[in-house]
Amino acid sequence: MDKSVINFLKTKSLSTIETENIEQKLETWKQWYNSKVDGFHNYYVYDGNRKKNRTRLTLNMPARVCQDWADLLLNEKVEISSNDENTERTIRKLLQQVNFYVRGNNLIEKAFALGGGFFIPYWDGEKTAQKYITQDFAYPITYDSGRLLECAFASNKTLGGKRYTYIEVHTKTSEGFYVIDSFICESNQKGTLHEVGASFYDKFNIAQKVITQSKIPLFTQIRPNIANRDVFDSSYGTSIFSGVTDYFAGADLCYDAYINEIKLGKKRIFVDGSVSKINIHPDGSMSRVFDPNDDVFYSMADLDEAGKPILESNMQLRVNELDTALQTQLNLISQGCGFGANGYKWDSGNVSTATQVISENSKMFRTMKKHELLLNDAIINMAKGLLYVEKTNNPNAKINLDAELSVDFDDSIIEDTAEIKRQATSELTLGLISKAEYFRKTRKMSEDSAIEFVKQMRQEQLDEALQAQITEEPPTE
């Protein structure tokens, strides 16, 4: 969060919501997500004479947790359907156009780490596009009953080698329509932002003000569906690993100890100086008794005073104990982040996703469905925003802005979707279910949407049959 942006918004009579120390939280979450936590991953040890700087090894489990949730919640199998065929065809085209399945997956990963993210559709001058930004670039203005109604977003833009701050503000008029104000700013020596001239907006292809006819915001917030422990009705989302960072610390401590155990337990052979000297060959050439590149040997003076010119040091490794300790920490991480008690497995030096049967009463299934509650509404609102931008700038597009939209999430880890479609097709062929029931089962449509979809298909088939009949009739003389 940039204080200069907050101060600039105040000059425009806009006050951002500051109900908690979000800057400190975001910094903590970022450090854990990057596995570079000050004072933990970089630390000092005292050897009795001086302090030594050390770097603790890490398993990068915070990033792994966020990646796994992103892959579960948004992948190529997630589909958006509509009861209007043309609208559905258009939204699928738009999703490909804005690279939703790649950028959206990346945003969910970052949002689960930093507490939230935003989809912001816009017209780039030629086509519908979409921004994907994280919570640390958002400045909430109005929040009510769990919904963010007005918000500002800041980012950086570069022109001629100079960096500018771009601020986009989404607010509502008294009639309920959204207005998007854009500001391009540069900072003075004191770090205060001030607007640049109007010509810069043309250079960046940005409209200074857009008055929309939309009563829904053209930004959509996504976040993990977990409560903010500090401020219950907060406009900011909470990281998926908020409150469980001690488990990540425990895992990294175990992993660091595991690697150090192997390094410190390396076999060594201590050799007295008298037997590690240089040999002189008959031809006058010289060579060392032991290979100097073989680091298992360590030469020591007067070692043979004990009567043994060669001593072997072969320390026993505590690998089994460390394996158990590390698996315990992974179990805690898995449980704390919603995957159940055995979501991760330490096996042969790697962390893998444990093979498990996901049932409808498992913790992982319930947590996934819990996150989908928020993500479902977010994806639908995002799709409506894309459709609105496309329809506004392309009036000839066949889009019904009032069409019903639904999201079919990937439940293949719980249910065999291919088997469901095969069985539904068989039942439809035998006349055991209606076409509407078929679409409800296979495309996760609501009952009303499925009935409307079947009616629309039937009407299109009738229209096509009528057109074919007219074409086939011979001309009258």
Side-chain angles (χ1 to χ4, degrees):
M1 311 294 285
D2 191 336
K3 290 293 184 184
S4 64
V5 174
I6 295 175
N7 292 331
F8 175 81
L9 292 173
K10 288 179 179 178
T11 66
K12 302 299 178 181
S13 300
L14 295 168
S15 297
T16 58
I17 300 173
E18 298 179 68
T19 58
E20 57 185 301
N21 190 9
I22 190 63
E23 294 90 350
Q24 183 178 348
K25 287 184 176 181
L26 285 168
E27 181 59 28
T28 299
W29 296 336
K30 283 180 183 178
Q31 289 186 16
W32 276 110
Y33 179 63
N34 293 317
S35 292
K36 295 180 180 179
V37 180
D38 294 339
F40 179 74
H41 289 103
N42 295 305
Y43 65 101
Y44 292 93
V45 295
Y46 183 66
D47 65 358
N49 294 311
R50 61 188 177 89
K51 285 185 176 181
K52 296 180 179 179
N53 188 23
R54 292 289 182 266
T55 299
R56 181 166 282 116
L57 300 177
T58 176
L59 286 171
N60 296 307
M61 287 308 297
R64 174 65 180 271
V65 165
C66 297
Q67 290 168 7
D68 288 343
W69 271 123
D71 292 344
L72 282 170
L73 294 169
L74 183 58
N75 53 54
E76 73 284 354
K77 295 181 181 179
V78 175
E79 295 182 353
I80 302 178
S81 303
S82 174
N83 58 353
D84 181 85
E85 188 175 357
N86 290 324
T87 301
E88 181 176 317
R89 189 180 299 114
T90 301
I91 190 59
R92 290 187 176 181
K93 182 200 76 171
L94 291 174
L95 293 177
Q96 294 295 327
Q97 186 170 294
V98 301
N99 202 15
F100 171 69
Y101 289 99
V102 174
R103 298 290 308 280
N105 178 279
N106 293 341
L107 181 62
I108 289 179
E109 177 185 330
K110 298 279 284 186
F112 269 55
L114 302 181
F118 293 84
F119 302 116
I120 307 177
Y122 69 101
W123 184 259
D124 69 358
E126 297 179 354
K127 64 184 184 305
T128 299
Q130 183 158 259
K131 301 172 189 175
Y132 303 83
I133 71 169
T134 49
Q135 180 170 254
D136 48 330
F137 293 101
Y139 300 81
I141 297 173
T142 305
Y143 182 80
D144 182 52
S145 301
R147 294 183 60 208
L148 188 57
L149 302 178
E150 297 178 315
C151 192
F153 304 93
S155 59
N156 294 319
K157 289 186 177 293
T158 303
L159 181 65
K162 186 174 181 179
R163 192 174 71 171
Y164 298 87
T165 299
Y166 171 59
I167 303 174
E168 183 176 297
V169 184
H170 295 242
T171 55
K172 295 179 71 173
T173 65
S174 57
E175 292 81 16
F177 295 105
Y178 274 87
V179 176
I180 303 174
D181 290 292
S182 297
F183 306 97
I184 300 175
C185 306
E186 57 184 356
S187 60
N188 57 24
Q189 294 180 347
K190 295 182 179 180
T192 303
L193 295 178
H194 62 275
E195 290 181 74
V196 298
S199 61
F200 279 83
Y201 292 86
D202 294 332
K203 293 177 182 179
F204 283 112
N205 193 27
I206 294 173
Q208 290 182 263
K209 182 183 285 288
V210 176
I211 302 175
T212 76
Q213 297 300 309
S214 173
K215 290 192 174 183
I216 63 171
L218 294 182
F219 64 86
T220 301
Q221 183 183 32
I222 59 171
R223 58 184 177 86
N225 192 3
I226 55 178
N228 187 315
R229 298 180 181 182
D230 299 319
V231 181
F232 177 72
D233 199 23
S234 173
S235 58
Y236 298 101
T238 301
S239 171
I240 189 68
F241 49 73
S242 176
V244 298
T245 53
D246 287 347
Y247 301 156
F248 295 130
D252 285 350
L253 282 170
C254 290
Y255 179 63
D256 188 64
Y258 193 99
I259 300 302
N260 282 329
E261 180 78 6
I262 296 173
K263 289 168 58 179
L264 298 175
K266 182 178 66 173
K267 181 176 181 178
R268 288 180 173 86
I269 298 177
F270 299 98
V271 184
D272 184 81
S274 63
V275 297
S276 61
K277 295 178 180 179
I278 297 174
N279 282 338
I280 301 177
H281 301 287
D283 61 358
S285 62
M286 295 182 294
S287 65
R288 291 181 180 272
V289 175
F290 296 103
D291 184 355
N293 295 319
D294 193 339
D295 57 7
V296 73
F297 296 104
Y298 191 90
S299 179
M300 295 182 67
D302 301 325
L303 180 65
D304 62 350
E305 288 184 358
K308 294 182 179 180
I310 298 178
L311 291 177
E312 180 182 3
S313 173
N314 192 8
M315 301 179 68
Q316 185 175 359
L317 299 179
R318 300 170 298 163
V319 173
N320 292 335
E321 291 84 349
L322 288 169
D323 279 341
T324 302
L326 189 49
Q327 184 60 59
T328 299
Q329 294 301 319
L330 291 176
N331 291 345
L332 290 171
I333 290 172
S334 178
Q335 183 74 22
C337 294
F339 294 114
N342 301 300
Y344 293 110
K345 184 180 180 182
W346 174 252
D347 184 24
S348 301
N350 293 299
V351 177
S352 60
T353 302
T355 303
Q356 55 180 315
V357 177
I358 307 301
S359 62
E360 292 188 3
N361 62 353
S362 69
K363 178 177 177 60
M364 181 176 174
F365 176 80
R366 295 196 304 270
T367 306
M368 185 172 70
K369 289 302 176 183
K370 177 183 174 182
H371 291 313
E372 285 178 0
L373 289 175
L374 288 182
L375 190 57
N376 179 80
D377 292 342
I379 292 177
I380 289 176
N381 290 337
M382 178 209 70
K384 288 181 177 180
L386 289 171
L387 290 169
Y388 176 83
V389 172
E390 180 72 12
K391 183 67 174 178
T392 301
N393 294 278
N394 185 9
N396 295 325
K398 295 181 179 180
I399 297 173
N400 179 7
L401 295 178
D402 296 322
E404 185 176 336
L405 301 176
S406 61
V407 181
D408 181 11
F409 288 99
D410 175 26
D411 289 336
S412 58
I413 63 170
I414 297 100
E415 57 185 14
D416 189 341
T417 52
E419 175 59 23
I420 289 174
K421 289 182 179 181
R422 188 200 64 77
Q423 185 175 349
T425 301
S426 177
E427 291 175 346
L428 178 64
T429 303
L430 295 173
L432 300 177
I433 60 173
S434 65
K435 288 184 177 180
E437 179 67 10
Y438 171 82
F439 289 117
R440 192 187 67 78
K441 285 186 173 184
T442 60
R443 304 182 70 170
K444 306 295 183 183
M445 288 183 171
S446 67
E447 186 174 354
D448 292 340
S449 296
I451 292 173
E452 184 63 30
F453 187 69
V454 171
K455 287 181 179 178
Q456 182 179 346
M457 290 180 60
R458 189 172 297 156
Q459 184 60 49
E460 289 181 356
Q461 290 171 353
L462 289 173
D463 292 344
E464 290 175 358
L466 180 60
Q467 184 62 39
Q469 183 178 357
I470 293 174
T471 305
E472 291 175 359
E473 288 182 356
T476 57
E477 295 183 358

